[in-house]
Amino acid sequence: MEEVKQFPAVERRRNVATSSEREKGEVAVFQELGKALTSSLQLDQVLRTIMEKIDEFLRPDNWSLLLLDEEKQELYFELAVGKASQALRDVRIKMGQGIAGWVAQHGETVVVPDTSKDTRFFSKVDEKTKTETQSIVAVPVRFRDTCLGVIELINCVGPSGFDPRDLKLLEALSDFAAIALENARHVKKIHDLTIRDDCTTLYNARNMSFILET
């Protein structure tokens, strides 16, 4: 009984939705995200939709999207939802550090039912956020062979473990996040090319005239 109380949200979610209802809900999620990816170039909007669906289906205490700063080889919290979200704004995690750092470095999904038994767990984040992380599920956000970041869920593993179907849904959502991030990268590159010459990195004549005029 004590173990069940630790994960009330997970039990509540699983008892309410039948298998048929869950399947219909997942199909609707993928349709919604597909439309968002094809109709909007606003990265924040697409990512927030993805994170909302994580909350709706998986009910973690806290969940976040960490992106990789390639130059510094560190992860930073691009989006964080939950009680600890404000405290995470300035937190950075080195590649290989903690569960998220390990996932980013190896490009593999990790499910940790009990953080006290995993040597990779980085307790300093809990110290900063004043929270207690009992379990972690972390999936890499990958585009082809490149890891762009990590989606991390805190305290969403129920007494019976983390449902394989839940994990597949989470990995599918991470794929949508990767596509959105890559789309945003391409849009930024196209925008930059309209301002600067790709070979010389100098401003194009049209943009140079505008800069001089202003």
Side-chain angles (χ1 to χ4, degrees):
M1 288 295 295
E2 185 177 345
E3 194 174 11
V4 173
K5 290 179 182 178
Q6 292 177 355
F7 306 98
V10 174
E11 289 305 299
R12 185 165 59 250
R13 172 177 57 76
R14 288 179 178 168
N15 288 338
V16 169
T18 65
S19 179
S20 177
E21 290 171 341
R22 174 90 191 267
E23 187 173 343
K24 289 178 181 177
E26 289 173 1
V27 170
V29 166
F30 296 138
Q31 289 176 337
E32 185 176 343
L33 289 174
K35 288 178 181 177
L37 284 172
T38 56
S39 64
S40 175
L41 295 176
Q42 298 299 316
L43 178 62
D44 286 350
Q45 180 181 331
V46 178
L47 292 181
R48 288 189 182 280
T49 300
I50 291 171
M51 302 307 274
E52 286 171 6
K53 298 310 171 186
I54 288 175
D55 178 40
E56 182 181 336
F57 280 87
L58 304 177
R59 301 291 184 186
D61 283 355
N62 297 286
W63 63 108
S64 53
L65 169 66
L66 299 92
L67 296 184
L68 178 62
D69 182 331
E70 294 183 4
E71 185 177 340
K72 295 183 178 180
Q73 286 296 289
E74 293 177 339
L75 293 167
Y76 62 93
F77 288 84
E78 174 69 14
L79 284 175
V81 183
K83 295 178 181 179
S85 58
Q86 294 296 322
L88 292 171
R89 285 185 174 182
D90 300 323
V91 174
R92 284 194 166 236
I93 298 171
K94 296 178 181 178
M95 284 287 281
Q97 185 180 59
I99 302 296
W102 190 95
V103 169
Q105 187 175 62
H106 294 83
E108 298 176 16
T109 295
V110 168
V111 178
V112 180
D114 186 349
T115 56
S116 67
K117 297 178 181 179
D118 196 301
T119 57
R120 294 169 297 186
F121 177 61
F122 187 54
S123 60
K124 289 187 177 180
V125 175
D126 272 10
E127 293 172 10
K128 183 173 179 62
T129 59
K130 294 180 172 56
T131 57
E132 182 183 357
T133 299
Q134 299 168 337
S135 67
I136 294 176
V137 177
V139 300
V141 178
R142 290 179 297 185
F143 186 81
R144 295 176 182 167
D145 296 327
T146 302
C147 184
L148 306 176
V150 176
I151 291 178
E152 188 174 63
L153 279 60
I154 304 299
N155 298 341
C156 70
V157 178
S160 58
F162 195 67
D163 192 326
R165 185 167 178 172
D166 288 339
L167 187 57
K168 286 183 179 179
L169 173 62
L170 182 58
E171 289 176 334
L173 291 173
S174 77
D175 288 341
F176 276 102
I179 294 169
L181 288 165
E182 193 63 19
N183 284 349
R185 182 179 295 184
H186 282 300
V187 170
K188 183 179 184 302
K189 186 174 182 179
I190 291 170
H191 178 264
D192 290 345
L193 287 174
T194 63
I195 297 174
R196 292 179 182 269
D197 184 273
D198 191 30
C199 297
T200 65
T201 70
L202 298 174
Y203 285 106
N204 292 322
R206 180 180 176 184
N207 290 288
M208 179 59 77
S209 299
F210 173 78
I211 292 169
L212 292 173
E213 288 172 3
T214 56

